[in-house]
Amino acid sequence: MSKLFTYLCGILSFVGLSSCACSKSTTINNSTVSELDINKYMGHWYEIARFDHSFERNLEGCTADYELKSDGTVKVTNSGYRGSLDGKFKQSVGKARRPNENVPGQLEVSFFMNFYSQYNVMELAPDYRFSLVGSESDKYLWILSRTPEMDGKDLEFVLQQAKNRGYDTNKLIWVKHSK
C-alpha cells in the first residue's frame, strides 16, 4: 500500500496490519524501493498472491484501487469476494500517506480511525506493472499486478526476490480472478 495505501482486499487488505500488533522481524529484508512515483502507482491492482491473514481470509478476486487526493493522501479501496468469485462482494475503504518523503517506497495505511500499518513497496517493475509489498513484519506479503495474471518471467523474478529477502514463498495463497 506515499500517501498510499495498502492493499488489498478484504479488505483492509492492505491493512489491518496494525503496527502495534506486529513485531519487527530480523530474519527478513523489508527494505523499500529507492524511487516511487506516487502518481504512477495510483490506479487498479490485482492481488496475485498473499500470505494468509484474518482480514482477507477466504477472499478471491481481490483488487486494490489507489486514488491520489488533492491533500496528498491516498484513498485506498480494497475489494474481494467471500469464498469464491461468485461469493458475497466485500469492500473496505481506507487511507494512506507517505510518512517520510526521504523513504519514498514506504507508506502507511489505515482502515480504522488513525491506526496505521506499514506498507513497504519492496520491488517494483520499471513500468509499474507489478509490485512486491510487505510490512514491518514477516507475516505480511503481497504480490500485485496490473493484470489478473502475471507474465511467467515477472512472477519468477518476484518470487525469487521474496525468497532472497527471507520470505517463505511456500506460504503464499494464490488468488483466483475472473478471466
Side-chain angles (χ1 to χ4, degrees), residues 13 34 38 41 47 50 55 63 78 81 103 108 112 118 127 135 147 157 161 167 174 178:
S13 218
S34 59
I38 199 75
Y41 202 82
E47 182 176 290
R50 67 170 180 265
F55 53 89
T63 61
N78 292 320
Y81 298 88
V103 186
E108 292 177 328
F112 181 71
Q118 250 183 38
D127 63 358
S135 75
T147 58
F157 172 81
Q161 293 306 307
Y167 288 93
W174 298 93
S178 302

Side-chain angles (χ1 to χ4, degrees), residues 9-21:
C9 265
I11 314 184
L12 162 79
S13 218
F14 278 22
V15 269
L17 324 167
S18 171
S19 327
C20 56

Side-chain angles (χ1 to χ4, degrees), residues 44-55:
H44 191 70
W45 290 90
Y46 293 88
E47 182 176 290
I48 301 301
R50 67 170 180 265
F51 280 178
D52 187 33
H53 43 75
S54 61
F55 53 89

